[in-house]
Amino acid sequence: MKLDFWQLSRDPAEKVVAAIAARVLDSGERVLVVSADEAQRAAISKALWGATAESFLANGEAGGEDDARQPVLLSAKLTDANRASHVIYADGAFREPSGFARAFLLFDESTLESARTTWKALGDRDGMERAFYRQERGNWVLVA
């Protein structure tokens, strides 16, 4: 299991989620986006629908009849309703990602300490590969 920590600085979570989701979908996989904040999920959905000038990233809110068909499913909690292999924690709160091949923890200044605690707590876990990315001059750079 791979867990990526992405420190948000310049871009808001919804823009970063759209970029990550586009790459996941391009690889033929599905993604679950988790945020306890309903307003944030709405902003993410809007960003996904307008991801690029040429296309959009279809998505839906969990709890509907078509959850299983959604390439990107937005939810307040972990669910396997769309059989996603990747999960993005958009609100900075880590949840145990069992059943996913890769997880992305997005965090900003308000959730920085929680991300540090999670990083340290998962440091010695077998089978957990961690990576830390930070945005520098508009590019994402692998730091650790």
Side-chain angles (χ1 to χ4, degrees), residues 41-106:
R41 291 193 313 274
I44 291 168
S45 179
K46 184 177 179 180
L48 291 168
W49 283 112
T52 70
E54 302 84 34
S55 67
F56 60 89
L57 301 177
N59 66 91
E61 182 76 25
E65 292 180 19
D66 295 322
D67 286 2
R69 296 178 40 192
Q70 296 295 340
V72 180
L73 187 64
L74 307 171
S75 179
K77 59 185 178 178
L78 282 175
T79 178
D80 64 352
N82 71 334
R83 300 176 313 280
S85 58
H86 294 63
V87 61
I88 302 170
Y89 304 120
D91 60 5
F94 178 77
R95 294 117 172 130
E96 193 60 45
S98 61
F100 294 94
R102 190 169 183 181
F104 301 86
L105 177 63
L106 309 184

